[in-house]
Amino acid sequence: MVTVKFLSDSKIIALDTNLFIYVFEQHLEFGAKTKAVLEHIENGLVDGIASSVSLTEILVKPIREGNLTLEKQYKLLFSHFPNLTILPIDNVVAERAAYLRGIYNIKTPDALIVATALVANADLFITSDQRLEFIKEIKCVSIDQL
């Protein structure tokens, strides 16, 4: 089960794209942990945030495969999930992302997602991308650590 300490110590949790995919694909290793994180958000125990970049990333596969059902489910999740705010990319986020790319040499989508978390004052960023765990500006935790 998810270590509640990570979640209870935080007021705002930022989610990386892959967490949404794990829930929908019922990932064997991370699906249950990710579902527990989303349940904390849904129940109002913490606020969740995600970048609009995650919507772009998550829709690619269902669109490519012509899976309209999954595409609609993802859109519904991103537009109606309780206590989850999807934040757009603005100039403040873009500039912060450029800083992160310059310092950490990470890919643009990752930089935009982490920058969104920083601009939203998230206390915790949950990912499965170990390349992002070394970012010092925000506490990054891998889903396998929960």
Side-chain angles (χ1 to χ4, degrees), residues 98-108 110-111 131 134:
Y99 170 83
L100 293 169
R101 267 190 53 77
I103 299 298
Y104 297 106
N105 196 30
I106 58 178
K107 295 178 181 178
T108 298
D110 292 331
R131 295 170 296 180
F134 61 87

Side-chain angles (χ1 to χ4, degrees), residues 5-70:
K5 178 159 178 41
F6 278 117
L7 302 180
S8 62
D9 287 348
S10 304
K11 293 181 181 180
I12 302 173
I13 296 176
L15 305 175
D16 201 357
T17 305
N18 43 30
L19 275 70
F20 299 104
I21 294 169
Y22 293 151
V23 169
F24 274 88
E25 293 184 357
Q26 299 176 357
H27 189 275
L28 291 177
E29 186 176 357
F30 302 133
K33 289 181 178 184
T34 303
K35 184 177 179 185
V37 171
L38 289 176
E39 286 173 351
H40 269 72
I41 293 169
E42 183 177 28
N43 294 329
L45 301 173
V46 295
D47 289 326
I49 66 111
S51 171
S52 59
V53 170
S54 291
L55 180 60
T56 300
E57 290 184 321
I58 207 168
L59 288 176
V60 171
K61 184 177 178 184
I63 289 170
R64 184 176 291 144
E65 295 175 352
N67 188 340
L68 295 176
T69 301
L70 184 57

